[in-house]
Amino acid sequence: MVNALDRASLQSASTGDLIAAVTRLLSPNNEFPTQAETGQPECALVAFILESLTFHVKSPTGATARAEILQGLNGSLDPIFMFLAIPDEEVVEATVRLLEQITLPFPAATILEAHDNLVAGLGHPESAVRNLVLSLLKKLEPSQWTQELAVAALKGALTGSLRVFEQFKSLLNSETMIHVLLQPPCLEVLLQLAHDPLDRFRVLEIVGLAARLSAAAAQQLHLAKFFLPLDDGDLEYAVLTELSTSLILPTSTADAGTPTEARIFLVQAGVVAAITERTESIHPESRARHLIPSLTFLLAYVAAVGTENDAYVPRILDVAATALLPPDNADLVQRDAHEIVALATLRGLSALPTLAPVLAHARLVQALAKVTAPLRGGNHGSAAWFVGLLQLLCAWAPLDRDAQFVRVITANAADPAAVLVAATVQATTHIDENVRSAAYAAQCGIAQVPWGQTELGKPERVNYLLDRTADDGSPAAKRARYTVVELLAASEMVKQDADVATQNRFGEYLREGPFYVVRDAAVALGDAA
């Protein structure tokens, strides 16, 4: 038995000795060690005791040590949790490590026995403590959560470190769990923190996650009016639009929930109306960086709506038309800002799954006819602008089966397909590599529709595509060109029009693969020795 609380005596102490030391520290007549020189608490020694216990639990006989600790503490973890109240970082860290090891195999029922300590831990100033408690709560089923625990977890996550917040979000993985955290006491916490400049963005993220996971939760949040109390500041709207975009167009396959329900929620809560109205009042030439997030969301909203009859779609497309057209009498700085906005608009439009709403909007059609002039020849402007146009063509060509959009952007040329294909061929020799890659991608899009196959299947275009020396030699160019050839070779229309020799050339090209290199045989001539 250890009779003195000093490091030398504790170094060789058994698990039982260390438990006795812990009991003495926290007994009514505690023997909390102090420094001889100053009389201050010897926190380093307390941390050493806890670390020594952790070492015993992590050893090969850890299960026995864990059982001894619980037996020595009468089956309760309360004495160990009490060390978290000591205002010393080293003691708190040692306590967290010990609790992590002791509670590792605990089932949910055992963890709930420390309910009050869990609630207190979620409000602890140290993030490591909050994170520990949240990791323990992962073992609970939704039915095992009390309202007190839910409120404490929500407060602890929204006001804690980023690591704590991410740990909390990992708990929200089901509709059932969302409902646990949207009971009236939790809603009150969310509404309160939504008005705090430091916490409102996290509140928005939680609200967004809930709306995507549960249609019922979305309705509940709509009634609580979460979005509308926010200030009309640029940063708030930037965060709001980013969140709203992720709701209707989840950013990864890991995102759960139903974007359709989230879209309904955004309409009911007034978010779509608020962002639309704000975007309509912004001048693109003066506030480009504020307009782009809003435009991104609004066009993503149109993409989510598809061909449904929606009152906001015409208004949003009108905003897009305004964003595409350069401002009158703009100076150089304003024109640069406009190009940034217009490029973002082109990218947003290229994500639309159908051309129907675009072709039905006269003002947007007129704007597109103007901005796509570089595809008809002449001055292409910046490389970035030309890439944006080619990317739009790549995305929309497969959708434009009746060539309606082609006629728009070629100003109703006598042969719209020939004009567009000629532009992409010319772009494959552009000095900028990004333009060349975008040109090949555009040809891949064109090769997926009948009018594109007809044009690319002409003898002069086939000769161009099958010429291995005609690309820039980069792997991306070779791969893209090979894809175009694959699409043409599989086209029944091209097969019918091509003669046997051309069909054989297609087959040989495909057999050789995308990276085949034509090698010239070198013959050395000289005097025979």
Side-chain angles (χ1 to χ4, degrees), residues 285 326-336 338:
E285 67 273 19
D328 296 329
N329 303 318
D331 58 27
L332 186 60
V333 174
Q334 290 172 327
R335 287 193 173 274
D336 286 343
H338 161 259

Side-chain angles (χ1 to χ4, degrees), residues 26-87:
L26 298 175
S27 62
N29 299 315
N30 71 74
E31 298 181 29
F32 202 91
T34 57
Q35 299 175 12
E37 300 83 0
T38 63
Q40 296 297 315
E42 184 67 85
C43 290
L45 184 57
V46 175
F48 179 76
I49 295 172
L50 298 173
E51 288 169 353
S52 298
L53 273 174
T54 303
F55 175 78
H56 282 242
V57 178
K58 292 174 69 175
S59 71
T61 58
T64 302
R66 186 181 290 107
E68 287 185 41
I69 292 173
L70 292 174
Q71 183 179 1
L73 299 177
N74 297 320
S76 172
L77 293 176
D78 289 354
I80 299 177
F81 270 101
M82 290 177 66
F83 284 105
L84 293 174
I86 297 175

Side-chain angles (χ1 to χ4, degrees), residues 24-221:
R24 289 163 61 190
L25 285 172
L26 298 175
S27 62
N29 299 315
N30 71 74
E31 298 181 29
F32 202 91
T34 57
Q35 299 175 12
E37 300 83 0
T38 63
Q40 296 297 315
E42 184 67 85
C43 290
L45 184 57
V46 175
F48 179 76
I49 295 172
L50 298 173
E51 288 169 353
S52 298
L53 273 174
T54 303
F55 175 78
H56 282 242
V57 178
K58 292 174 69 175
S59 71
T61 58
T64 302
R66 186 181 290 107
E68 287 185 41
I69 292 173
L70 292 174
Q71 183 179 1
L73 299 177
N74 297 320
S76 172
L77 293 176
D78 289 354
I80 299 177
F81 270 101
M82 290 177 66
F83 284 105
L84 293 174
I86 297 175
D88 180 83
E89 186 176 343
E90 191 175 0
V91 172
V92 169
E93 287 182 1
T95 305
V96 168
R97 285 194 290 268
L98 178 58
L99 284 169
E100 285 175 341
Q101 293 302 316
I102 291 179
T103 58
L104 194 61
F106 280 10
T110 306
I111 290 173
L112 278 174
E113 291 175 2
H115 179 275
D116 292 345
N117 286 316
L118 296 176
V119 171
L122 289 166
H124 197 281
E126 292 291 335
S127 292
V129 179
R130 298 190 193 191
N131 212 47
L132 165 69
V133 176
L134 288 172
S135 67
L136 295 177
L137 295 181
K138 282 186 175 182
K139 297 185 179 184
L140 301 185
E141 296 295 329
S143 60
Q144 294 173 306
W145 282 71
T146 65
Q147 286 199 9
E148 191 178 9
L149 258 183
V151 170
L154 190 59
K155 281 184 177 178
L158 293 175
T159 60
S161 68
L162 179 60
R163 182 186 173 199
V164 171
F165 184 59
E166 293 298 325
Q167 176 85 287
F168 174 74
K169 285 199 300 180
S170 69
L171 292 169
L172 308 182
N173 54 9
S174 69
E175 186 172 1
T176 308
M177 196 64 219
I178 289 294
H179 285 297
V180 168
L181 289 161
L182 289 184
Q183 298 304 310
C186 289
L187 286 173
E188 187 177 338
V189 170
L190 283 171
L191 279 170
Q192 178 185 355
L193 294 178
H195 293 278
D196 191 313
L198 296 177
D199 302 322
R200 68 177 60 179
F201 299 143
R202 289 187 178 181
V203 171
L204 274 178
E205 193 166 349
I206 294 299
V207 168
L209 181 59
R212 189 164 65 237
L213 279 169
S214 166
Q219 179 66 20
Q220 195 175 0
L221 292 165

